[in-house]
């Protein structure tokens, strides 16, 4: 396990924790570089149904740790590694949840936005801060932020580098749900358990369709998966007989 990242798996949920307390959980170059490789086996593990990304202690992530860089080439390489990590998280095929306390800034916000849903504790603060450093925010990250929170909110965050509170984040769609800090872990756990009980067939197809226009043949692929799966009949039968469904579809190759 790379320094600064920890993984724990229980009851179908893998929790990835950003843990760099000396730097408010800022992501070092080594942490950015390690994240895709950390996610890959979790994506392939059929026992993992949901991924939760969180920060150690009372901070989610204060951004990218740029303290060791002294030239433009180093900053560019770090940004490329951050984008690769963000894309790996966005491409994770299973539902991903960000559990946010405290600061969710810069690279931390970049990672939270790459998750499917964001749960925040009251008092959380959000910001996208390249304007403080004269950095051009990546085009793919900008587009993802615009799709999530809308162009006006994205421009406000990018133009000003101002931090916004949990209320504004919720109102603009940057955050999906807010709860008291002492209830955040319990709420995220309950929601992850709920997702783990639902059909993976539905979730995988929905995540792919929601991310972008499906590529050639993907709609036909998912239609074939549904036709060959017992999940639709199981779901309908369970609903009619008022019992809990037992879904069994798994991704091909697992």
């Amino acid at each position: 396990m790379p320094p600064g990242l920890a993984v724990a798996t229980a009851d179908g949920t893998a929790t990835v924790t950003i843990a760099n307390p000396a730097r408010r959980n800022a992501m070092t170059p080594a942490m950015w570089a390690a994240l895709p490789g950390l996610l890959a086996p979790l994506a392939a593990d059929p026992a993992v149904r949901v991924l939760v990304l969180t920060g150690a202690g009372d901070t989610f992530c204060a951004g990218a740790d740029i303290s060791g860089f002294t030239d433009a080439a180093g900053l560019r390489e770090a940004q490329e590694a951050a984008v690769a990590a963000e894309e790996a998280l966005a491409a994770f095929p299973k539902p991903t949840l960000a559990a946010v306390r405290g600061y969710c800034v810069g690279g931390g916000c970049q990672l939270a936005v790459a998750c499917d849903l964001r749960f925040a504790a009251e008092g959380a603060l959000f910001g996208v801060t390249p304007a403080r450093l004269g950095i051009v925010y990546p085009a793919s990250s900008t587009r993802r932020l615009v799709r999530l929170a809308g162009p006006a909110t994205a421009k406000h965050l990018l133009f000003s580098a101002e931090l916004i509170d949990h209320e504004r984040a919720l109102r603009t769609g940057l955050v999906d749900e807010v709860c008291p800090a002492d209830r955040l872990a319990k709420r995220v756990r309950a929601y992850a358990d709920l997702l783990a009980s639902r059909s993976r067939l539905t979730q995988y197809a929905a995540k792919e369709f929601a991310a972008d226009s499906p590529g050639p043949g993907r709609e036909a692929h998912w239609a074939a998966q549904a036709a060959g799966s017992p999940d639709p009949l199981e779901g309908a039968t369970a609903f009619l007989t008022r019992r809990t469904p037992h879904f069994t579809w798994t991704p091909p190759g697992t």
Side-chain angles (χ1 to χ4, degrees):
M1 195 66 58
L5 295 172
V7 177
T9 303
D11 301 324
T13 297
T15 300
V16 176
T17 302
I18 304 167
N20 182 12
R23 304 290 297 176
R24 288 187 173 178
N25 294 339
M27 293 285 291
T28 66
M31 291 162 69
W32 287 120
L35 188 58
L38 183 152
L39 294 174
L42 300 177
D45 186 349
V48 173
R49 299 290 304 272
V50 182
L51 178 79
V52 174
L53 179 67
T54 193
D58 59 2
T59 294
F60 181 75
C61 175
D65 185 351
I66 61 171
S67 59
F69 296 109
T70 58
D71 57 48
L75 286 171
R76 185 170 58 252
E77 290 175 5
Q79 189 174 56
E80 289 171 354
V83 170
E86 175 193 1
E87 293 299 332
L89 182 59
F92 195 80
K94 307 168 188 183
T96 54
L97 313 176
V100 177
R101 294 181 183 82
Y103 288 99
C104 179
V105 178
C109 199
Q110 192 174 349
L111 289 174
V113 169
C115 291
D116 294 315
L117 297 167
R118 285 144 296 282
F119 292 74
E122 292 175 347
L125 293 170
F126 299 82
V128 184
T129 55
R132 289 181 182 172
L133 303 170
I135 293 172
V136 174
Y137 202 54
S140 58
S141 305
T142 300
R143 287 191 291 267
R144 183 169 287 117
L145 180 62
V146 169
R147 287 197 300 267
L148 178 64
T153 296
K155 289 174 184 178
H156 168 70
L157 292 168
L158 286 164
F159 290 175
S160 70
E162 184 179 71
L163 302 188
I164 63 173
D165 62 19
H166 69 266
E167 292 179 345
R168 184 167 182 177
L170 181 64
R171 187 171 66 250
T172 59
L174 189 62
V175 163
D176 299 286
E177 188 172 324
V178 173
C179 59
D182 61 356
R183 290 176 48 198
L184 179 65
K186 184 177 181 180
R187 171 58 182 147
V188 171
R189 179 75 228 184
Y191 190 75
D193 289 345
L194 174 67
L195 296 188
S197 74
R198 303 307 197 200
S199 169
R200 279 183 282 199
L201 173 63
T202 302
Q203 292 169 349
Y204 275 59
K207 181 159 183 173
E208 184 174 324
F209 290 162
D212 209 340
S213 298
R218 296 309 294 171
E219 290 188 32
H221 165 81
W222 287 111
Q225 289 294 309
S229 169
D231 277 15
L233 180 59
E234 167 63 12
T237 302
F239 178 79
L240 293 172
T241 58
R242 298 184 179 180
R243 64 171 174 79
T244 301
H246 178 62
F247 296 117
T248 57
W249 179 89
T250 56
T254 60

